[in-house]
Amino acid sequence: MANEMIHSQDVENRIFVIRGERVMIDRDLAELYGVETKYLNRQVKRNLKRFPSEFCFRLTKRERKQLVTICHRFEPLKHSSVCPYVFTEHGVAMLASVLNSERAIKMSIIIIKTFVRLSKLMATHKELGYKLTELERKVEAHDQVISSIVEAIRKLLEPPPEPKKPPIGFRKD
């Protein structure tokens, strides 16, 4: 269990959000599965029907550049002529069947559990965000009511205007 936690944390640090999807880079997966990146990619190419675009896609040059910018461990990708593959949670599950090794199966289970845990965590954050927005609306409505009450109290505290006294003396009409 402790071993799984170490791997789970390590896996979590290797998950990125690209094109709105949580994905893992081919070289990270190869390292976790204990195979070379070129072997992993070769297996993907041999089984392309198993990897639709929702499971696996190549990064664009711009996405690769952004990835290298945010994570220094991808520095070798900077001058690579080929953009890396990235895999979604479903792509990771499919990789286990393509690689067909004991380690790949075990690592896929850990990786998928991590993806699921992150999804639950994100759902919790969305729910908290929704509740916070709702609370802000209520506070804003209360602020308006309180402001109008304070304004009414201020008007009550103002001394009434003094009645106009008629001028003393004679008037020439």
Side-chain angles (χ1 to χ4, degrees), residues 128-161:
L128 285 173
Y130 173 76
K131 287 182 178 182
L132 184 60
T133 302
E134 195 175 300
L135 181 62
E136 286 174 343
R137 285 188 196 133
K138 285 181 182 178
V139 168
E140 188 176 294
H142 289 295
D143 282 349
Q144 291 171 352
V145 171
I146 290 170
S147 292
S148 57
I149 291 171
V150 167
E151 190 64 35
I153 291 172
R154 282 191 180 138
K155 285 182 180 178
L156 289 173
L157 292 175
E158 289 178 5

Side-chain angles (χ1 to χ4, degrees), residues 17-151:
V17 176
I18 299 174
R19 299 183 198 172
E21 296 281 338
R22 282 189 297 277
V23 296
M24 292 186 72
I25 310 298
D26 57 2
R27 64 182 286 177
D28 284 345
L29 285 166
E31 184 182 324
L32 290 171
Y33 290 147
V35 297
E36 291 184 24
T37 306
K38 65 182 179 182
Y39 174 75
L40 184 139
N41 289 334
R42 189 178 326 128
Q43 292 302 91
V44 170
K45 288 176 188 174
R46 286 181 181 167
N47 296 280
L48 278 179
K49 290 182 181 179
R50 292 178 180 239
F51 295 96
S53 61
E54 306 90 55
F55 289 15
C56 170
F57 56 89
R58 275 202 187 275
L59 294 181
T60 64
K61 289 181 181 181
R62 193 170 125 235
E63 290 168 334
R64 178 183 65 191
K65 184 178 178 183
Q66 288 173 337
L67 188 65
V68 169
T69 302
I70 63 169
C71 195
H72 72 282
R73 67 186 169 90
F74 292 121
E75 194 70 30
L77 292 176
K78 187 175 188 176
H79 302 292
S80 174
S81 61
V82 180
C83 291
Y85 280 109
V86 293
F87 296 85
T88 64
E89 177 181 350
H90 301 294
V92 170
M94 196 58 72
L95 270 175
S97 66
V98 170
L99 295 176
N100 199 21
S101 72
E102 193 65 33
R103 180 175 173 149
I105 293 168
K106 287 179 181 178
M107 285 307 302
S108 288
I109 290 170
I110 292 169
I111 293 168
I112 290 169
K113 283 181 179 181
T114 304
F115 270 107
V116 169
R117 189 170 50 77
L118 286 175
S119 294
K120 287 179 182 178
L121 189 63
M122 293 302 290
T124 302
H125 283 301
K126 283 182 183 178
E127 186 178 325
L128 285 173
Y130 173 76
K131 287 182 178 182
L132 184 60
T133 302
E134 195 175 300
L135 181 62
E136 286 174 343
R137 285 188 196 133
K138 285 181 182 178
V139 168
E140 188 176 294
H142 289 295
D143 282 349
Q144 291 171 352
V145 171
I146 290 170
S147 292
S148 57
I149 291 171
V150 167
E151 190 64 35

